[in-house]
Amino acid sequence: MPVYTVHAPVVSNLDFRATDRFAFVRDGFHVWAAILGVVWLAWHRLWLAMIGWIVLMTAIDIAFVRLGFGAGLVLLVDVLLALLLGFEAASLKRWTLSRRNWRQIDIVVADDEEGAERRFFDRWTARQRITGNDQPAVDRGGPPPTRDVPGQAFSKPPPLPRDDIIGLFPEPGAPR
């Protein structure tokens, strides 16, 4: 099953009310990034990554041609770099989001992006319950521990008779 990371823009006081802007980035191989690298980078608005990709591909192609390598080797290196872009496309998206001051807030496992959104927002709304006065509820956990209260009768197991020891454990004080 694919794994999605959920990212949200960081605004003042870490208030995540703009849930429509959350970004879900699928981890794994991106076929279209490998096939149409520059177009995929431009489509996803990864401008610095696109410029770096163009510079890297141009520099490697020029270097290999000037060193006298054949066209087949240059094509092989270009295919390998395209595969590398396909594998690292999600990392480039996450890097761009973090550079734009977005924060990763969760990881979701689902079959597709719609399922990931559904699973994430089910958990998100359970954590972000709203009270009657439109204030976010605070999860205060369980009740605080009590002091100087004797243990209840049901909390201690009844003692076992010494004759009913089961297993290979010797009786206390018995010779070995």
Side-chain angles (χ1 to χ4, degrees), residues 27-82:
D27 200 19
F29 186 75
H30 291 261
V31 175
W32 291 112
I35 295 172
L36 301 170
V38 175
V39 175
W40 188 89
L41 291 168
W43 181 266
H44 290 281
R45 300 177 58 175
L46 306 174
W47 307 119
L48 285 179
M50 184 179 73
I51 291 169
W53 178 255
I54 292 171
V55 168
L56 176 73
M57 292 297 286
T58 305
I60 287 177
D61 287 351
I62 289 173
F64 273 63
V65 168
R66 291 212 178 171
L67 289 173
F69 293 113
L73 185 62
V74 173
L75 179 65
L76 177 66
V77 169
D78 286 346
V79 167
L80 290 176
L81 287 173

Side-chain angles (χ1 to χ4, degrees), residues 2-175:
V3 176
Y4 291 85
T5 55
V6 184
H7 303 266
V10 176
V11 293
S12 63
N13 299 330
L14 296 177
D15 183 23
F16 298 116
R17 297 203 189 260
T19 57
D20 58 331
R21 294 189 57 204
F22 285 3
F24 290 78
V25 179
R26 181 181 59 86
D27 200 19
F29 186 75
H30 291 261
V31 175
W32 291 112
I35 295 172
L36 301 170
V38 175
V39 175
W40 188 89
L41 291 168
W43 181 266
H44 290 281
R45 300 177 58 175
L46 306 174
W47 307 119
L48 285 179
M50 184 179 73
I51 291 169
W53 178 255
I54 292 171
V55 168
L56 176 73
M57 292 297 286
T58 305
I60 287 177
D61 287 351
I62 289 173
F64 273 63
V65 168
R66 291 212 178 171
L67 289 173
F69 293 113
L73 185 62
V74 173
L75 179 65
L76 177 66
V77 169
D78 286 346
V79 167
L80 290 176
L81 287 173
L83 286 173
L84 177 66
L85 180 63
F87 282 115
E88 294 299 325
S91 297
L92 289 173
K93 285 175 79 172
R94 282 191 287 271
W95 174 74
T96 301
L97 289 171
S98 68
R99 214 177 36 57
R100 292 178 183 162
N101 204 20
W102 286 51
R103 193 174 111 193
Q104 180 178 335
I105 57 175
D106 203 359
I107 297 174
V108 182
V109 178
D111 289 328
D112 56 356
E113 188 171 347
E114 183 179 332
E117 289 177 3
R118 191 176 316 111
R119 280 187 179 185
F120 168 74
F121 283 114
D122 285 344
R123 283 190 306 200
W124 179 263
T125 54
R127 285 183 295 198
Q128 302 293 324
R129 289 191 182 102
I130 303 296
T131 60
N133 58 1
D134 291 337
Q135 296 295 323
V138 177
D139 182 16
R140 291 180 169 71
T146 57
R147 297 183 189 169
D148 301 328
V149 176
Q152 299 175 356
F154 61 84
S155 65
K156 294 182 184 177
L160 291 174
R162 289 186 180 245
D163 297 35
D164 293 324
I165 295 179
I166 300 174
L168 299 175
F169 301 106
E171 292 189 32

